[in-house]
Amino acid sequence: MSDTGRIKEPIGLRTQRQIYGEPTPAEIAEELDRTTLVDLAHVVMLRERRLIEPEAAVALATLIEQLRDSRFAALADARMPRGLYLAYEQYLTAELGEDIGGVLHTGRSRNDMKATVTLTRLREWLLTFLQETTRLVAVLLSRGREYRDVVMPVHTHYQAAMPITYGYYLTGVAAGLTREIESAWDSARGLRRCPMGAGAVAGSDLPIDPARVAALLGFEEPPVHALDAIASRDVSLRLLADATGVAVVLSRLGTDLQLWSTEEFGFIQFPDRLVGGSSAMPQKRNAFLLEHVTAAVGRVSSSWVGAVTAMKGAPFTNSIEVGTEAVGLAWPGLRAATDVVQLGQVLVSGARPRPGRMRQRAVEGITTATAVANRLVHDGMPFRTAHHTVGAAIRELLADAGGEPIGSDWVARRFPAAAKVADPAVAVSLTDAGGGPGDWQRGFDDVYGRLRVLRDGTLRELTRLTAARAELDGAVGALRSGRTVSDRQKEDRWTPRR
């Protein structure tokens, strides 16, 4: 369709390819699958409002469903001088005639359709992302419970600091990750309102029913401000920011696991299926998958930066910079976030601690020094004095040992009253204030409770969307069979206001 009435000729072929691309059959099917659901809901509403004739509604719904059943094979080789959607609409008109194909666009615009398709795609991504991230939290909690008694040193500034357990560490990562997931769930509020009905930018003077379309597509509300519905894509930015937060947490987890998997640390080992070899060095067992985890945050965050940059300075109205370019930059980042979460699942699940080595380093790192000082505080010594006293004793013992590890018996020799905390496991059990590892169960229960809320919310949303899809299928089926019954159909045909 080169003649649009106002414009007689299409843009050049090279420019068409640059702007609209050359989508593959799979890409055509993916895009039109969402678009045609919007069309079906719109056709149902138009007929219920008696804005189109029954014959037109049945013909449109029938042909659209036939296209869906064939995965849009008829459009695989179609010319697209003005993009995929208009090529699809041109096909409908060619097959059904202008009198039928031409009524589909009644009471809507490509603008509100495009905004709606974007939100449905974001909704699909978010539900998958929530399922995958909550599954990762469940893996972290499962391994956290399994290894809750495996003592290891926690490091600050890359130096052994205090004794914790591997299970406590994993539970802490689960807590941080859960907070990021909760933020993504909060951002989902931007997916509640369906833009359909907002039209090109300022609504419509036709008696359409945007609430009906919204319900059929699984949205909770119709638009309340047409300009905002058309101009805004802020939800994509928020979800990208949330995905970046998840990727950052996983990058930090990956950094720790990779460091701990080195022979120098020897805290963690991975099965063969999670490591790679070297083309030149036969002894190598490279935990290279962790490098993909640590690097993924770059792909996610760069999408956010790109989308923000594309939106910056765009007018607050329908805008290709925002609706096409910026949104297009978001998808690779969102996909990368899902990928890294799934990778994190197998790595956390497959990582196995080496308890002997972990405990050895907790002892050699003198990680119970703070617990010893606190025992002196219990006996009435001021903390700063106790801190200096223990520090001086360690300095002297290390000098006497010539830099060799001093073992855990140094406590009994220098501070007999504090001997019971020489064992890192005992020191761990005593750190039950302030969320320490001695109070592991409370931290576990907190994350588990939040995880259940997230899972239940995701399940309710999936159930609600399944019901909406069933309602749409039922409405289309009734429309095609001529059995549509609705209060909307009982209303008189709309006539223009004078």
Side-chain angles (χ1 to χ4, degrees):
M1 183 192 299
S2 59
D3 185 350
T4 69
R6 178 69 174 85
I7 299 172
K8 295 295 185 180
E9 296 182 3
I11 61 176
L13 292 177
R14 186 178 68 178
T15 305
Q16 287 178 30
R17 289 192 293 269
Q18 291 171 333
I19 300 301
Y20 302 119
E22 296 179 295
T24 65
E27 291 169 337
I28 290 172
E30 181 183 7
E31 182 172 340
L32 290 183
D33 184 66
R34 299 183 185 91
T35 300
T36 50
L37 285 180
V38 177
D39 279 352
L40 289 171
H42 187 66
V43 169
V44 168
M45 182 275 294
L46 289 177
R47 179 58 205 139
E48 289 177 349
R49 296 295 286 177
R50 295 196 169 193
L51 285 167
I52 61 175
E53 297 295 334
E55 297 79 11
V58 171
L60 283 167
T62 300
L63 183 54
I64 290 171
E65 291 214 307
Q66 288 173 352
L67 283 171
R68 290 176 59 81
D69 290 342
S70 70
R71 302 302 294 156
F72 308 97
L75 295 168
D77 298 318
R79 292 182 62 249
M80 301 180 188
R82 298 177 61 207
L84 175 58
Y85 177 75
L86 288 181
Y88 151 73
E89 195 175 74
Q90 180 181 353
Y91 174 83
L92 297 181
T93 301
E95 292 292 311
L96 301 175
E98 185 69 38
D99 290 345
I100 294 179
V103 302
L104 178 60
H105 219 52
T106 304
R108 74 177 188 193
S109 165
R110 273 190 299 172
N111 298 350
D112 56 354
M113 286 194 63
K114 190 170 186 178
T116 300
V117 169
T118 294
L119 290 188
T120 60
R121 187 175 177 186
L122 284 171
R123 187 172 64 188
E124 292 171 14
W125 172 84
L126 178 61
L127 288 172
T128 298
F129 189 66
L130 289 171
Q131 290 176 301
E132 296 297 339
T133 48
T134 53
R135 187 173 294 120
L136 175 54
V137 171
V139 173
L140 285 162
L141 290 179
S142 174
R143 292 295 182 261
R145 180 166 49 196
E146 182 177 356
Y147 302 126
R148 61 180 294 183
D149 296 323
V150 176
V151 173
M152 65 175 288
V154 66
H155 293 75
T156 61
H157 307 288
Y158 290 93
Q159 303 298 316
M162 296 177 69
I164 60 169
T165 69
Y166 183 52
Y168 176 76
Y169 170 85
L170 293 177
T171 307
V173 174
L177 186 60
T178 299
R179 195 160 46 252
E180 300 292 349
I181 303 169
E182 289 168 337
S183 178
W185 183 257
D186 289 342
S187 295
R189 288 180 295 179
L191 300 173
R192 290 173 51 202
R193 287 180 176 152
C194 178
M196 288 300 292
V201 73
S204 174
D205 59 353
L206 293 171
I208 58 175
D209 187 356
R212 174 63 167 160
V213 177
L216 290 172
L217 294 175
F219 291 91
E220 298 177 46
E221 301 175 11
V224 296
H225 195 289
L227 175 59
D228 176 46
I230 296 303
S232 298
R233 298 296 188 276
D234 53 292
V235 66
S236 62
L237 294 182
R238 288 201 301 276
L239 290 175
L240 263 176
D242 297 328
T244 299
V246 168
V248 168
V249 172
L250 296 183
S251 178
R252 299 177 72 184
L253 168 66
T255 295
D256 285 341
L257 293 181
Q258 189 161 37
L259 185 65
W260 295 345
S261 71
T262 63
E263 285 300 318
E264 287 75 11
F265 269 81
F267 287 1
I268 297 292
Q269 56 189 359
F270 289 98
D272 288 353
R273 62 186 174 85
L274 296 178
V275 298
S278 165
S279 63
M281 297 166 282
Q283 84 282 9
K284 297 293 293 297
R285 286 176 55 84
N286 298 324
F288 74 100
L289 294 176
L290 290 167
E291 296 174 46
H292 290 284
V293 172
T294 57
V297 66
R299 288 192 287 154
V300 185
S301 62
S302 63
S303 284
W304 185 87
V305 171
V308 168
T309 304
M311 289 189 193
K312 181 191 71 67
F316 196 76
T317 182
N318 177 57
S319 168
I320 286 176
E321 301 102 304
V322 175
T324 299
E325 296 293 345
V327 170
L329 290 167
W331 301 122
L334 295 174
R335 286 193 297 269
T338 304
D339 289 344
V340 74
V341 167
Q342 293 173 332
L343 192 54
Q345 293 169 6
V346 298
L347 288 166
V348 172
S349 178
R352 292 293 182 268
R354 299 173 63 185
R357 177 60 176 166
M358 285 180 162
R359 178 181 174 82
Q360 176 190 354
R361 287 301 304 140
V363 171
E364 293 176 350
I366 322 177
T367 59
T368 58
T370 300
V372 173
N374 285 340
R375 290 302 98 191
L376 300 182
V377 171
H378 275 293
D379 294 338
M381 184 181 294
F383 173 77
R384 192 53 61 196
T385 301
H387 182 280
H388 289 171
T389 299
V390 173
I394 292 172
R395 179 185 180 91
E396 181 180 334
L397 288 166
L398 287 173
D400 292 344
E404 294 297 319
I406 60 176
S408 60
D409 59 345
W410 68 275
V411 181
R413 287 187 280 118
R414 289 301 180 96
F415 305 101
K420 67 178 182 178
V421 300
D423 184 345
V426 174
V428 164
S429 69
L430 294 173
T431 53
D432 58 357
D439 194 18
W440 175 86
Q441 188 66 52
R442 188 163 67 98
F444 178 93
D445 291 344
D446 175 72
V447 178
Y448 182 70
R450 290 155 58 197
L451 175 64
R452 290 191 62 177
V453 170
L454 288 166
R455 280 181 162 177
D456 290 347
T458 303
L459 180 60
R460 284 195 302 271
E461 184 66 9
L462 287 168
T463 301
R464 191 180 66 80
L465 292 177
T466 300
R469 178 60 186 273
E471 183 179 359
L472 174 59
D473 290 343
V476 172
L479 176 70
R480 293 180 63 184
S481 66
R483 293 184 291 104
T484 304
V485 177
S486 169
D487 289 339
R488 297 172 180 83
Q489 288 181 289
K490 297 175 184 177
E491 298 173 4
D492 292 336
R493 176 183 289 276
W494 171 76
T495 56
R497 290 189 295 271
R498 297 187 182 277

